[in-house]
Amino acid sequence: MTVQDILAATRALCPAIVAGDTHVLGSPVPVPPVDLRLLGVVLELNGEVVATAAGAAKGHPAAAIAALGSLRAGDIVVTPPLASVGLARAGDVLVASVGRLGSVEAVVG
């Protein structure tokens, strides 16, 4: 599979937060007509910006999915994170904002 194959088969994208074994997905949006490597990420911890990144920092996000090989229709795949807060504690509020995809919020349990 190629990046183009993955993009052609993708119905929607959504911002996500991964905290330990917990994955929180934001609202799905259609794949924007932009180079996904250029989307910026802002990660907040308890209202303070703690990290920023761009997709290009780790290559094209669809390349990580293409490397997985075969997928089935309806599969949900979370690509590797672009930014990290490090250690989060119970009660911490994480917000990830991804350009053109929206934001997602999670409270660490």
Side-chain angles (χ1 to χ4, degrees):
M1 297 184 109
T2 67
V3 167
Q4 290 75 23
D5 294 334
I6 297 299
L7 293 175
T10 300
R11 286 188 310 184
L13 301 175
C14 53
I17 291 177
V18 179
D21 292 337
T22 302
H23 293 70
V24 179
L25 302 178
S27 299
V29 298
V31 179
V34 298
D35 187 339
L36 297 178
R37 294 173 293 185
L38 303 178
L39 292 182
V41 175
V42 176
L43 190 57
E44 298 174 44
L45 173 64
N46 298 323
E48 292 188 40
V49 174
V50 293
T52 60
K58 295 201 176 179
H60 199 292
I65 299 168
L68 294 174
S70 63
L71 298 170
R72 294 184 310 261
D75 281 351
I76 295 174
V77 180
V78 178
T79 59
L82 297 176
S84 173
V85 299
L87 182 63
R89 296 179 179 89
D92 282 347
V93 178
L94 304 172
V95 177
S97 301
V98 182
R100 297 207 185 191
L101 297 185
S103 298
V104 59
E105 181 176 314
V107 177
V108 177

